[in-house]
Amino acid sequence: MKEERLLVLNMLNEGKINTEEACKLLEALGSSAQSGEFGEKVSKYADSFKKKAVKLAKNAEPTVKKYAEAVGEKFEDIKSGIKNKTKSDNIDEENIVVDETETDGEAEDNSDDDSNA
């Protein structure tokens, strides 16, 4: 019986079941007064765990926002750099197509390599 109760507590700790489900399972394992007290302890533990998790998430929020903003700024820098590069290389930004004369020359060079193989 003790192993089953530990299994229920592990499932609760891993988030596989919620507090209410854990209490029901523990009560089903033994309906004595002792198991009722144990269920209350589990419920208090779960509530305490939930409060700590919420606090941790709130504390992490500013840091997450800071790094998200930094990543967004870096993305914009990269995007701007790509735009500038495409303009300097005569690449059509809309279609990302290389100048026709360059493409034709490269295609001929590649076809010659294939015929020699």
Side-chain angles (χ1 to χ4, degrees):
M1 188 77 76
K2 184 177 181 180
E3 290 176 26
E4 290 87 357
R5 290 180 188 194
L6 289 174
L7 181 62
V8 171
L9 292 176
N10 283 334
M11 290 172 28
L12 175 64
N13 190 36
E14 293 171 359
K16 294 179 180 179
I17 60 173
N18 62 33
T19 307
E20 185 177 284
E21 293 167 326
C23 288
K24 286 180 183 179
L25 288 171
L26 291 169
E27 287 175 5
L29 288 172
S31 59
S32 68
Q34 190 178 29
S35 69
E37 291 172 20
F38 187 69
E40 289 177 28
K41 287 181 182 179
V42 169
S43 180
K44 287 179 183 178
Y45 172 77
D47 289 340
S48 172
F49 182 79
K50 180 180 175 182
K51 287 177 185 176
K52 288 178 183 177
V54 168
K55 183 178 178 182
L56 177 67
K58 284 182 181 178
N59 290 340
E61 187 176 357
T63 303
V64 171
K65 282 184 179 181
K66 174 183 159 187
Y67 284 108
E69 289 173 5
V71 168
E73 289 172 6
K74 195 65 166 171
F75 174 77
E76 289 301 321
D77 291 347
I78 292 169
K79 185 175 152 184
S80 177
I82 290 171
K83 272 188 168 184
N84 292 336
K85 180 71 174 155
T86 57
K87 285 180 183 177
S88 69
D89 289 350
N90 294 324
I91 299 173
D92 180 5
E93 290 180 52
E94 300 267 334
N95 298 315
I96 312 293
V97 175
V98 178
D99 188 346
E100 294 291 326
T101 57
E102 290 180 24
T103 305
D104 290 341
E106 290 176 11
E108 289 175 20
D109 290 341
N110 292 336
S111 64
D112 289 341
D113 291 340
D114 292 340
S115 63
N116 291 334

